[in-house]
Structure formats: C-alpha cells, structure tokens
Amino acid sequence: MENSLWTSEFFPYQLVQMHFIDQLLKPLPLKVLKNIYSNLHFIESTESDFTIVMSGDWDLPYLTFKELSIKTALRMGKKLGFFVDYSDPSKLYDTTSPDRLINYISEIGIPITIFIRANILRKKKIVNYIKRLVQNKLIDFGYHVEPNFIVKTKYDIAIKIVNNIEQIINEKIIAGRNHTLYFDPIETWSFYSKIGLKLSSNLGFNNSLGFPYGIPYAFHTPYEVIEVPQVLMDVCLWRDLHADIYTIKRIIEKLCNNMKRVQALAAVNFHLDYANYDYQFKILKELIASVKKFKGIFINFNYLLKII
C-alpha cells in the first residue's frame, strides 16, 4: 500500500518531517497549527507541564530462541533487529515475555497501554499472561490493527478481534494503532470509527523522532476519533540513529524540554519484547528520567479519554 499520508489533505507535503534532529524537535506554536490545520481541534496538556501517553507494542509472533538452533536464532535475531551477543550465544533471550519492562514501570508507577496484535492471541500461554496483567491497574490494553484489514476494509474480522481481546481483559478497548508505514489519515480514522475505537496513535514515524508535521498535541479528527501523535518510537534511537547512550540522553532531554515549552500532549511507543535487552532498557530509563526532570507526567490511553 502506498502511504498516502505524504499527500493527504490533512498534512501538507511541505510539512513532512525531515531527517534532521534539530528540525524534528521543533514543535509549531499552537497559533500556527490552528492556521495550517483549521479542520483539527488540538488538545493541550492540562494535567502537568506536558503529558506523555505511554504505549507498548506487543506484536511479534510467539518465538522462543531457546527452542531454536543457535544458528537459526542468530539469523532470526539479526533479521528482526535484536541485539544479539554473537560472542556468547547463551545470552539469547526469550522475547515472548515483557516481564522486565512491566515489572520496572510498575515498580516506579508508570501507566502504559499495551497494544495487542491478533497473532499473539493464538498461544494459550500468552493469553493467560495477559489475564494476569489485567490485575495491574497501571496497565490498559489497545488493539494493534493488522494493516491489511484497513486496506481491504475487513471491518467484521477486526470487530471480532476487538471482541476477543475484550473478553480476555474484561474491559472495553478504546485505542488502536497500526504499522506506521500503513497509516493513511482518512482510511485509518474512518476504519477505527467503524470498529468502535475512540483513540488512535499513528501519526508519527518509526525511523525518526520529533513532532510529526510540527504537531505536539493530540487532536480531534473529523471522524470522531482522537489522534495522539507519536513523538518517539524506541527503534529509531538504536536502529536508525546508531547513537550511544549519552547522545540519546541529550536528544531525549531536548525533546522533553520542547514538549514542556508548548505543554505538549503526545505519545511514545516502546516494543515490549525489545526491552529484554540491556541497551533498549537503558533507553527506557533515560526517557523516564528526562520526563521527570522536565516535570512531565505519564498516562495511558484510558486515562487520556477521561480527561479530555
């Protein structure tokens, strides 16, 4: 599918974010945003100096490296972008369990929305794990929508999956996100509205960080769906920037400082499985430390819907 986001009526082509960190990290003032996007209603942070809606993707197929040969595990690790210690294959991790991230954010009181993809629901072990996570009041759940469903307008199948997740967690699903490369504003927001989702977090990029199209705020769309722009996805820091942890710290602090300056309300996204790796886990800690330093707060999507 061609990503028509680039030429959509909602986001002028000339405002497509470029791959220059300093430029990416400059949000547009609210007055300018209102002039450019007259059909969108922006939502500033009212809870604190700025607000980050924390989300985690859980969308990889069930895969246990321990069950594979070392050669196969190394090949798959490289293909999926995992940091594997080739000098010591015994350090291969079981990527199916996000315990490390969940335990850490629970310990320090960080709320998070976990976006679940349908393919992980095929395993009873994971379903049982999700049921245990439901007991954690800091966690809520969303639907990681299969991108081809939107292209082929598979509303009925998507609704069944949402219903399936809701039965597992005994709670209403209100938020969704799909692969950034398949995000089309009109198609996505319309699809989400028809399957009953109220919140979307798709406006953003997985290979760069900053304010997409200069937008630092969540906003009401014409499709009765609220879009929460994504200012950071974990993979861009270690996969695309190839930066050391000290450089990453400076970049994240600059992002948080600019979010504070405009009272931003936006989302960040981490892959739960990747947080099993030391380097990615350090990035998560740097983000949390920077948000606290600049007096921001974390919320999840369920809480967001209550305060706007």
Side-chain angles (χ1 to χ4, degrees), residues 56-95:
D57 279 359
W58 198 3
D59 58 351
L60 289 176
Y62 188 82
L63 172 65
T64 304
F65 279 158
K66 296 172 186 175
E67 298 173 355
L68 303 173
S69 69
I70 294 299
K71 184 177 180 181
T72 301
L74 291 172
R75 185 176 71 249
M76 294 189 73
K78 184 177 181 180
K79 181 179 179 181
L80 294 173
F82 296 143
F83 275 73
V84 176
D85 188 340
Y86 286 83
S87 64
D88 184 2
S90 66
K91 291 184 178 179
L92 291 171
Y93 290 96
D94 177 354
T95 65

Side-chain angles (χ1 to χ4, degrees), residues 15-79:
L15 289 176
V16 173
Q17 61 179 2
M18 305 298 288
H19 289 266
F20 300 105
I21 295 300
D22 287 341
Q23 188 64 34
L24 286 176
L25 296 179
K26 294 179 181 178
L28 293 174
L30 186 58
K31 184 177 180 179
V32 175
L33 290 170
K34 288 181 176 179
N35 288 334
I36 298 174
Y37 309 111
S38 57
N39 57 340
L40 303 178
H41 174 218
F42 294 98
I43 306 167
E44 289 181 271
S45 172
T46 57
E47 296 284 289
S48 183
D49 287 357
F50 67 97
T51 303
I52 283 182
V53 188
M54 186 72 166
S55 67
D57 279 359
W58 198 3
D59 58 351
L60 289 176
Y62 188 82
L63 172 65
T64 304
F65 279 158
K66 296 172 186 175
E67 298 173 355
L68 303 173
S69 69
I70 294 299
K71 184 177 180 181
T72 301
L74 291 172
R75 185 176 71 249
M76 294 189 73
K78 184 177 181 180
K79 181 179 179 181

Side-chain angles (χ1 to χ4, degrees), residues 113 194 255:
T113 297
K194 289 177 181 177
L255 175 67

Side-chain angles (χ1 to χ4, degrees), residues 109-272:
I110 303 294
I112 187 172
T113 297
I114 299 176
F115 286 94
I116 299 174
R117 198 162 181 173
N119 59 358
I120 71 171
L121 299 177
R122 298 171 187 163
K123 293 291 183 177
K124 186 176 180 179
K125 177 181 177 181
I126 293 183
V127 171
N128 290 335
Y129 183 81
I130 292 171
K131 289 179 178 178
R132 292 198 300 274
L133 290 181
V134 171
Q135 309 304 317
N136 188 328
K137 300 304 180 183
L138 290 170
I139 298 173
D140 65 24
F141 296 89
Y143 174 30
H144 195 308
V145 184
E146 284 72 17
N148 62 312
F149 285 7
I150 297 175
V151 178
K152 299 178 181 179
T153 61
K154 295 184 177 180
Y155 304 112
D156 293 342
I157 300 176
I159 289 172
K160 287 181 180 178
I161 294 172
V162 169
N163 290 338
N164 187 15
I165 298 174
E166 290 176 344
Q167 288 177 6
I168 293 171
I169 67 173
N170 195 28
E171 187 176 301
K172 183 74 175 174
I173 291 289
I174 61 166
R177 56 174 277 106
N178 42 278
H179 199 289
T180 306
L181 297 177
Y182 290 87
F183 169 61
D184 175 274
I186 296 175
E187 289 181 0
T188 300
W189 295 334
S190 175
F191 188 93
Y192 279 24
S193 178
K194 289 177 181 177
I195 67 173
L197 300 180
K198 304 294 184 184
L199 297 168
S200 163
S201 185
N202 286 290
L203 184 62
F205 298 85
N206 66 352
N207 58 356
S208 57
L209 77 164
F211 304 97
Y213 301 93
I215 299 175
Y217 308 114
F219 55 86
H220 293 272
T221 74
Y223 293 86
E224 299 184 351
V225 172
I226 295 171
E227 177 66 36
V228 186
Q230 174 190 286
V231 294
L232 170 64
M233 180 179 279
D234 59 342
V235 295
C236 80
L237 293 173
W238 52 265
R239 185 193 63 193
D240 297 289
L241 292 183
H242 302 291
D244 59 67
I245 197 67
Y246 301 104
T247 302
I248 287 174
K249 179 181 179 179
R250 291 196 299 271
I251 292 171
I252 290 176
E253 286 189 344
K254 187 169 185 177
L255 175 67
C256 289
N257 186 40
N258 281 331
M259 291 185 75
K260 178 178 181 177
R261 183 166 57 83
V262 297
Q263 282 190 283
L265 193 159
V268 300
N269 182 262
F270 274 76
H271 289 79
L272 274 68

